[in-house]
Every structure is written in C-alpha cells, then in structure tokens.
Amino acid sequence: MAEPPTGFPRSCPAPHRKRFAPEADRWTAGGASWWDDFYADRSRPVPFFAAKPDENLVGYLERGLITPGRALDLGCGPGRNALHLAAAGFTVDAVDLSPAAVAWAQDRAREAGADVRFLCGDAFALADTALPGPYDLIYDSGCFHHLPPHRRVSYLALLDRALAPGGHLGLTCFAAGAMGSELGDRDFYRRSGLHGGLAYTADSLRWIFSDLSEVELRRMRDEDPASPRFGEPFLWTGLWRREARP
C-alpha cells in the first residue's frame, strides 16, 4: 500500500529498481505475453471483459464534469471505455501492451462503427512519438495498480507531457482493504513482485497526484451484472484536473 509517510517517493533509488524482478512489471516492456494469455479466451467470465463502460466514467459525462475533446485510454483492454468515449464525441487514442487485447478492441470498434485509433505498445515509450497529446482526458481503468512503485515517476511524467492544461485524469485502481496487496513500497522490492497489484488508500492517491486538483475521489459503485455499466466496489474511482498555467 503506497503511503506517503512510509513509502518511497514517486520514483525509487536505483538499487531498488535493480532488485525488482522485470517479469513482475506487467505494465511495460515484457508484460505483453502475460496479458495476451489473460485475454486469449474472450468467453471467460471476467467482469471487465463485458462490453460496458465504467459507471464513474458514464457519471462524469452525465454530470458535465468532462466534455468531449481528445482522450487517451491507457491500458484500454478490449476497448469498452474507449468505445464509450468515442460514442460521446471524443477523439480517442487507446493503447495497450497486449496484441490480443488490441485485436479484440478493434473487433468491437468495427462492430460498433466506432472511430478509435488503437495502438499496441508501452505508453511510456510512445508518449513522445505516437501519443504526444495534448489530451483533454487521460483515462486509466485498472493499469495504475499494476505499476511497480518506481514507475510512478514515468506515469507522472507522461501526465506532465500529455495532459492538456485544464484537462482531466480519470483513474480506477485497487482500494486498500478491499483488493490488492497492502505491502509497503519497500517490501515490494524485498520480495520482487506485485502480488497481483498494489492497493491504495485515498491519502496515498492524493499524495501521488498532488500536482493535480481533485474533482472527486470515491469508491466505485457496485453495479448489477445486468447493468449497462461496469462497477465493482473494490476499486477507487478518481477524477483530477490539471490547472491551466498562468
């Protein structure tokens, strides 16, 4: 669990990076094969395989907290949120490490007649070339909690480069006490693995994203399986705004 008083800062010293097992980083570089295996069977009863958007994202749009512009969907998976954003009038770029996930998302986009630019690769590596921004919305549903602590600096750097002044970051991630590992940051480097993903408290998220202005931070609402929206209460949902520079 990433806590400001005890965890590492936004990046970790080099010795700790070296001790972290590369294969445990499922967000970048060699993580694609793990995710390809995860997405190989499209019929698996995985809740977020369903073609429906996050309930919080739908709510942001309905309440006018975000409005159409350019959007980047980080770790788009099968494209459920990217397609919803496109239908709402956004110009959408969507990126995922997994070729299997991107292929599935492209199939869904063709079936829906949606215009989304899908890219396969490491968003950090693509940020200066294929994903330069500026984006009015960067949306991340379930990727941040798979980052090793030392990769937070890369994540924040991506936001700094690609998020437009006045733009928003939307995030869902594991909530401490409900889902994910609550080991302190230092212990991840002693054990060399993410143990399924990191759990965050509200305070730790506010600390990490302290350069942005909080719009809303709450637990995701529990949605019935028959609902047209995805919702699981073991997740945080957060929306932050990057203030316009003077």
Side-chain angles (χ1 to χ4, degrees):
M1 177 170 56
E3 290 288 359
T6 59
F8 285 120
R10 294 171 183 176
S11 63
C12 294
H16 296 286
R17 290 201 298 269
K18 290 176 181 177
R19 284 203 293 265
F20 196 84
E23 64 273 13
D25 183 352
R26 295 176 182 167
W27 215 88
T28 56
S33 61
W34 191 94
W35 289 109
D36 276 346
D37 290 341
F38 183 80
Y39 287 111
D41 182 0
R42 298 182 182 184
S43 66
R44 290 173 61 204
V46 177
F48 59 84
F49 278 12
K52 52 188 180 181
D54 290 342
E55 60 84 7
N56 55 296
L57 179 60
V58 176
Y60 300 154
L61 288 161
E62 289 179 344
R63 290 183 286 155
L65 296 179
I66 58 174
T67 55
R70 290 194 70 208
L72 172 62
D73 185 358
L74 287 174
C76 64
R80 57 192 183 84
N81 289 308
L83 268 62
H84 187 75
L85 289 167
F90 283 82
T91 300
V92 184
D93 291 341
V95 61
D96 201 284
L97 273 179
S98 166
V102 170
W104 190 359
Q106 289 171 328
D107 288 346
R108 283 181 168 174
R110 280 191 293 270
E111 291 168 4
D115 184 11
V116 176
R117 186 172 75 111
F118 290 103
L119 298 95
C120 187
D122 176 351
F124 296 154
L126 295 172
D128 290 326
T129 54
L131 301 171
Y135 292 102
D136 302 294
L137 173 68
I138 295 179
Y139 193 72
D140 171 355
S141 184
C143 287
F144 181 72
H145 55 228
H146 290 299
L147 277 179
H150 68 268
R151 297 312 301 268
R152 292 179 198 137
V153 68
S154 302
Y155 193 97
L156 293 170
L158 185 153
L159 295 180
D160 190 57
R161 289 193 301 271
L163 185 60
H168 291 85
L169 166 69
L171 177 76
T172 76
C173 68
F174 290 155
M179 178 69 76
S181 175
E182 298 187 34
L183 288 173
D185 286 355
R186 291 176 177 86
D187 290 328
F188 284 115
Y189 294 91
R190 295 189 183 105
R191 303 187 187 192
S192 299
L194 287 182
H195 308 280
L198 286 70
Y200 287 89
T201 65
D203 285 345
S204 61
L205 291 173
R206 289 179 172 126
W207 170 66
I208 291 166
F209 298 111
S210 59
D211 288 342
L212 304 175
S213 297
E214 180 183 325
V215 177
E216 179 177 277
L217 181 61
R218 63 169 174 82
R219 293 286 280 273
M220 182 176 268
R221 296 190 180 94
D222 191 6
E223 295 284 332
D224 186 271
S227 168
R229 307 178 182 188
F230 169 84
E232 292 286 353
F234 57 76
L235 296 168
W236 286 114
T237 71
L239 185 67
W240 288 266
R241 184 178 185 272
R242 183 178 189 179
E243 296 302 328
R245 295 186 177 96

